[in-house]
């Protein structure tokens, strides 16, 4: 089986010539190891005993009640993954590929810091050198994860260009890769970037959807009516959606960052963007008429990105997935409600998906399955400040 | 009495394409070409137009940068220069106007990223470039295998689509790049982004040698060339030399516009002399 390089017209490899050879090498390695028993054995062992997979699905009865849902609400508990989010599924898969390609050095970009922590963790586990690029704005708002990465032995490189967020960190990581490509593997953290990255990331995240589908059938007895996930670059969303793409009766909803509202600053590339090229792939993008990439905004660092993965662009055009959005304010209130009603502090990213469910309750076919992509420990400073909750005596 | 009309093709010859113009430029020079880079709109539009005009006196080809928000192949110097231009509201058309002002001088090639080219439609963009007299275009995030549609649009507008090759490009790909590229091939001297520093060593020598063996069109080397000595060393083995970040760095360091102009003049003359020596 070959590796998908384009999703409809979207995707491709719009990168400097210098890294084309490395992309070819990565494509070949992925093709060779994807289904190889030894690779699968090693990855499966780690996912089972190190990450804690399969993650359960959990019925959120107190949110059903609070939000007056007419159907059941199930949460796929990626927040229970080691390191606290789905990002580890991809980081481990890619670090095992890097090892097989003989790369000694790992680099990554990170927004919320979850991908950075996952990559630092996987690198520590395999004894590889690790450097993570992170926008300075994000280093402030996701401080806890900066400390975790440093404790794990990774070097965190602040990025000051642009607005000091995920887009800028990704550009810097790509420049590092262009410079050190001979001995470095770049572990991109979402289903974005030049081919074959969107396919590789989606593949390693598709475990979320594979498990969820089987769990719904086993434990609930039916497929979900609606599957909801937040979309930054789109890795947790594509991971869970892939389990249900061939089930035409399952509605799929991706929730982008509505920021201040779509009239102001936001991160809703699929709602408000147009196709263009950023970070190596052709996909929906927030840009001005001359193609200059716009700055995104979201309260959540992980959704604060002007682009989106190419497979989502294709699914949008096909109409197979509906893309909606939730504002900062809606996400913050959902964050608090989920914490207080369920005892689950969700990541601010994930809170966007929850806010969508709350605010669209009446129209959703049930049961509703939400990808609880990560836990919110990293967000307590920022959400606390916004919600007026602190640690004063 | 009968009037003999000259055939129409003799009255209005097909205009020379950008690729032909570039080919002629290489053919006519019996020495390595000097290709300085100017970022359109840095430090401001007028200054960059002036710097380009000054360099045109010494250069064989002018490379004119159109700023892009996320230049993946550029190091901090060119990134920052492009950002200055964008912050001042410089648009692609402003930079094409600089090219237009250079008509009659050495051929101009523009350097910009793929999203800038497709934002208004590639045919539109390339048509406007051709109207401004632009001979070629370099798109560092458009590898040859993705260039299909753009190549067609570029051919139609008579703008040469100049491909890049890198130290990590293998022989078979060098061959392909050589076959696809028009005008010349831009050979990246270092594994990395712009703004570093090259060293003339066996590795670079064998890279240039390998490129010239596989690439039928002229090979111009850039990325990390800073001094007249380095330009001469490259000139000894390649068909041309691009100098970019070093010029921008010096413009940035100049205390005032007059000093920047004088520096550009002196630097351009120095490189040109080194390549003629
Ligand atoms: C918990 C969590 N969810 C979602 C995201 C958004 O990324 P993606 O769209 O790739 O899932 C992030 C990104 O940092 C995250 O940390």
């Amino acid at each position: 089986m070959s590796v998908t390089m384009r999703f409809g017209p979207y995707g491709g490899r719009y990168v400097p010539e210098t890294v084309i050879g490395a992309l070819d090498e990565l494509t070949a390695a992925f093709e060779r190891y994807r289904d190889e028993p030894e690779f699968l054995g090693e990855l499966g062992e780690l996912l089972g005993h190190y990450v804690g997979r399969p993650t359960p699905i959990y019925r959120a009865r107190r949110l059903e009640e609070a939000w007056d849902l007419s159907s059941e609400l199930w949460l796929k508990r990626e927040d229970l993954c080691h390191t606290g989010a789905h990002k580890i599924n991809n980081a481990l898969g890619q670090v095992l590929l890097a090892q097989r390609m003989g790369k000694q050095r790992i680099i990554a970009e990170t927004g919320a810091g979850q991908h950075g922590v996952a990559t630092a963790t996987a690198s520590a586990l395999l004894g590889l050198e690790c450097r993570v690029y992170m926008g300075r704005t994000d280093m402030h708002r996701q401080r806890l994860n900066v400390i975790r990465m440093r404790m794990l032995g990774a070097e965190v490189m602040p990025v000051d260009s642009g607005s000091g967020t995920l887009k800028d960190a990704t550009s810097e990581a790509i420049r590092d890769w262009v410079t050190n490509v001979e001995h470095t593997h770049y572990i991109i953290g979402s289903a974005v970037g030049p081919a074959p990255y969107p396919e590789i990331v989606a593949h390693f995240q598709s475990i979320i959807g594979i498990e969820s589908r089987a769990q719904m059938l086993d434990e609930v007895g039916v497929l979900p009516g609606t599957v909801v996930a937040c979309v930054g670059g789109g890795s947790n969303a594509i991971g869970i959606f892939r389990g249900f793409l061939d089930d035409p009766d399952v509605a799929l909803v991706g929730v982008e960052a509505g920021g201040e509202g779509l009239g102001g600053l936001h991160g809703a590339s699929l709602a408000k963007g147009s196709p263009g090229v950023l970070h190596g792939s052709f996909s929906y993008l927030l840009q001005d008429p001359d193609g200059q990439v716009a700055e995104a905004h979201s309260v959540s660092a992980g959704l604060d990105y002007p682009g989106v993965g190419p497979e989502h662009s294709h699914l949008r055009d096909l109409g197979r997935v509906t893309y909606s959005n939730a504002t900062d304010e809606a996400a913050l209130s959902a964050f608090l409600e989920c914490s207080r009603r369920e005892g689950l502090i969700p990541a601010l990213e994930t809170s966007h998906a929850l806010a969508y469910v709350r605010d669209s309750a009446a129209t959703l076919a049930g049961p509703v399955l939400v990808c609880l992509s990560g836990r919110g420990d990293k967000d307590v400073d920022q959400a606390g400040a916004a919600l007026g909750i602190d640690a004063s005596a | 009495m009968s009037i003999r009309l000259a055939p129409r093709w003799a009255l209005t010859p097909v205009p020379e394409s950008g690729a032909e113009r570039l080919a002629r430029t290489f053919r006519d020079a019996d020495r390595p070409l000097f290709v300085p880079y100017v970022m359109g709109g840095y430090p401001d539009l007028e200054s960059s137009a002036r710097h380009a005009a000054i360099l045109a006196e010494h250069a064989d080809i002018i490379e004119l940068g159109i700023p892009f928000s996320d230049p993946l192949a550029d190091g901090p110097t060119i990134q920052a220069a492009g950002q200055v231009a964008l912050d001042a509201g410089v648009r692609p058309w402003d930079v094409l106007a600089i090219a237009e002002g250079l008509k009659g001088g050495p051929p101009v090639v523009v350097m910009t990223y793929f999203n800038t080219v497709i934002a208004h439609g590639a045919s539109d963009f390339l048509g406007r470039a051709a109207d401004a007299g632009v001979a070629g275009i370099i798109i560092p995030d458009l590898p040859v295998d993705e260039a299909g549609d753009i190549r067609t649009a570029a051919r139609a507008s008579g703008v040469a689509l100049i491909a890049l090759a890198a130290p990590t490009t293998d022989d078979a790909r060098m061959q392909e790049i050589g076959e696809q590229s028009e005008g010349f091939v831009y050979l990246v001297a270092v594994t990395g982004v712009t703004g570093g520093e090259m060293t003339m060593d066996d590795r670079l020598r064998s890279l240039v040698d390998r490129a010239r063996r596989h690439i039928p069109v002229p090979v111009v080397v850039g990325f990390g060339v800073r001094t007249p000595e380095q330009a001469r060393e490259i000139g000894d083995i390649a068909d041309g030399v691009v100098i970019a970040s070093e010029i921008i760095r010096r413009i940035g360091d100049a205390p005032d516009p007059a000093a920047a102009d004088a520096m550009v003049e002196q630097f351009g003359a120095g490189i040109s002399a080194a390549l003629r020596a």
Side-chain angles (χ1 to χ4, degrees):
Chain A
M1 215 165 84
S2 70
V3 180
T4 308
M5 308 296 264
R6 292 245 177 206
F7 304 89
Y10 302 107
R13 305 195 295 181
Y14 301 95
V15 285
E17 171 65 23
T18 308
V19 296
I20 291 291
L23 290 173
D24 284 342
E25 183 189 356
L26 177 60
T27 306
F30 179 59
E31 220 171 340
R32 169 161 171 210
Y33 294 111
R34 182 174 42 189
D35 302 316
E36 191 220 39
E38 199 185 317
F39 180 85
L40 289 179
E42 196 176 341
L43 181 58
E45 172 74 18
L46 286 173
L47 291 176
H49 293 89
Y50 187 73
V51 174
R53 301 208 73 87
T55 60
I57 54 169
Y58 159 78
R59 183 165 171 197
R61 291 172 194 270
R62 300 223 332 127
L63 280 180
E64 286 172 13
E65 194 184 289
W67 292 346
D68 211 10
L69 302 188
S70 53
S71 54
E72 295 177 7
L73 173 60
W74 291 85
L75 305 178
K76 174 62 173 167
R77 297 288 309 277
E78 292 301 296
D79 62 316
L80 291 175
C81 290
H82 174 45
T83 70
H86 67 293
K87 300 285 183 186
I88 191 80
N89 303 328
N90 168 53
L92 281 173
Q94 284 206 48
V95 95
L96 293 182
L97 284 180
Q99 193 185 41
R100 280 161 177 73
M101 291 188 293
K103 307 276 180 173
Q104 283 304 312
R105 178 173 179 267
I106 299 295
I107 56 168
E109 84 298 335
T110 198
Q114 288 301 129
H115 174 59
V117 167
T119 304
T121 299
S123 300
L125 182 66
L126 273 81
L128 300 171
E129 183 189 339
C130 176
R131 174 185 274 195
V132 180
Y133 289 89
M134 190 171 192
R136 202 175 287 273
T137 307
D138 291 342
M139 287 181 68
H140 288 301
R141 58 178 165 171
Q142 308 277 231
R143 190 177 78 79
L144 178 74
N145 277 343
V146 176
I147 298 171
R148 292 170 80 195
M149 286 184 269
R150 288 181 171 155
M151 283 184 174
L152 290 160
E155 183 188 5
V156 180
M157 291 292 292
V159 177
D160 284 312
S161 54
S163 50
T165 57
L166 182 54
K167 178 192 81 153
D168 314 298
T170 306
S171 295
E172 236 8 75
I174 293 175
R175 292 187 187 106
D176 179 314
W177 198 42
V178 168
T179 307
N180 300 296
V181 62
E182 278 143 307
H183 63 289
T184 297
H185 176 60
Y186 175 28
I187 301 191
I188 207 161
S190 192
V192 300
Y197 279 109
E199 174 59 30
I200 291 181
V201 176
H203 173 81
F204 288 133
Q205 293 295 1
S206 65
I207 183 110
I208 306 172
I210 294 169
E211 286 176 6
S212 299
R213 190 175 189 282
Q215 288 166 326
M216 287 298 294
L217 289 175
D218 258 22
E219 297 169 35
V220 189
V222 290
L223 287 176
T226 310
V227 177
V228 184
C230 67
V231 177
S235 70
N236 86 90
I238 202 66
I240 196 163
F241 291 168
R242 279 203 173 181
F244 302 95
L245 283 174
D246 296 333
D247 298 311
D249 294 335
V250 179
L252 306 174
V253 183
V255 185
E256 296 189 288
E260 302 167 343
L262 296 192
L265 292 171
H266 57 79
S269 338
L270 289 161
K272 286 291 184 176
S274 54
V277 168
L278 173 67
H279 296 145
S281 74
F282 182 63
S283 195
Y284 278 82
L285 178 62
L286 298 175
Q287 55 183 329
D288 80 4
D290 291 343
Q292 308 296 348
V293 181
E295 277 177 16
H297 163 80
S298 173
V299 67
S300 91
L303 305 188
D304 193 345
Y305 184 66
V308 67
E311 192 169 0
H312 288 289
S313 291
H314 188 46
L315 291 168
R316 171 200 188 275
D317 286 4
L318 291 175
R320 177 63 187 96
V321 179
T322 304
Y323 293 90
S324 184
N325 53 84
T327 62
D328 289 352
E329 207 186 316
L332 278 164
S333 59
F335 172 90
L336 199 60
E337 286 158 16
C338 184
S339 302
R340 298 209 163 156
R341 283 270 171 178
E342 296 290 351
L344 296 173
I345 301 178
L348 276 175
E349 290 76 17
T350 316
S351 302
H352 287 71
L354 295 168
Y356 170 83
V357 172
R358 178 193 60 199
D359 299 339
S360 319
T363 63
L364 300 182
V368 175
L369 173 67
V370 173
C371 184
L372 199 76
S373 57
R375 66 179 195 226
D377 306 40
K378 68 186 179 61
D379 296 314
V380 297
D381 283 342
Q382 197 195 1
L387 295 165
I389 301 170
D390 63 26
S392 55
Chain B
M1 132 186 157
S2 76
I3 300 169
R4 279 192 56 216
L5 285 172
R8 202 176 142 65
W9 53 263
L11 288 176
T12 50
V14 179
E16 192 180 35
S17 73
E20 286 160 349
R21 192 150 169 240
L22 290 167
R24 182 164 55 78
T25 306
F26 282 96
R27 217 168 37 237
D28 290 354
D30 50 359
R31 56 179 170 75
L33 303 193
F34 172 33
V35 187
Y37 173 98
V38 171
M39 170 62 84
Y42 178 79
D44 55 70
L45 269 176
E46 277 135 60
S47 299
S48 59
R50 241 179 19 253
H51 298 155
I54 294 169
L55 286 166
E57 298 296 319
H58 304 288
D60 301 290
I61 296 171
I62 300 279
E63 186 183 345
L64 200 51
I66 297 179
F68 176 59
S69 55
D70 296 83
L72 291 184
D74 286 307
T77 305
I78 293 184
Q79 270 177 61
Q83 199 54 50
V84 166
L86 291 176
D87 290 346
V90 168
R91 301 193 59 192
W93 328 124
D94 299 323
V95 182
L96 292 182
I98 297 178
E100 185 133 34
L102 295 168
K103 272 184 179 173
V108 173
V109 300
V110 293
M111 199 286 220
T112 194
Y113 287 79
F114 190 50
N115 206 44
T116 312
V117 178
I118 59 172
H120 293 273
S123 300
D124 184 67
F125 183 90
L126 291 161
R128 291 174 82 157
D131 290 346
V134 167
I137 184 165
I138 300 166
I139 310 174
D141 60 344
L142 187 70
V144 280
D145 6 41
E146 298 287 2
D149 297 349
I150 304 305
R151 192 173 301 120
T152 313
R155 290 247 162 86
S157 58
V159 175
L161 181 58
I162 297 154
L164 295 95
T168 48
T169 306
D170 66 23
D171 289 357
R173 222 179 134 78
M174 283 269 185
Q175 191 105 30
E176 190 190 338
I177 288 167
E179 281 158 17
Q180 306 281 5
S181 193
E182 292 194 317
F184 59 89
V185 164
Y186 190 138
L187 178 65
V188 173
V190 296
T191 303
V193 294
T194 58
E197 183 150 14
M198 52 133 308
T199 27
M200 182 49 79
D201 53 13
D202 287 347
R203 198 178 145 142
L204 180 53
R205 264 188 216 95
S206 77
L207 169 68
V208 177
D209 179 57
R210 196 159 64 83
R212 296 190 65 163
R213 269 188 288 119
H214 293 282
I215 293 170
V217 291
V219 173
V220 172
V221 176
F223 279 41
V225 187
R226 298 169 74 155
T227 66
E229 293 70 42
Q230 288 169 337
R232 185 173 22 225
E233 286 176 320
I234 296 282
D236 284 342
I237 53 175
D239 301 302
V241 187
V242 179
I243 304 187
S245 298
E246 181 64 17
I247 297 179
I248 291 175
R249 202 175 291 123
R250 285 168 180 249
I251 291 170
D253 288 345
D256 56 59
D261 288 3
M263 185 287 304
V264 169
E265 163 64 32
Q266 191 196 357
F267 187 78
I271 300 290
S272 172
L275 290 174
R276 277 160 216 267

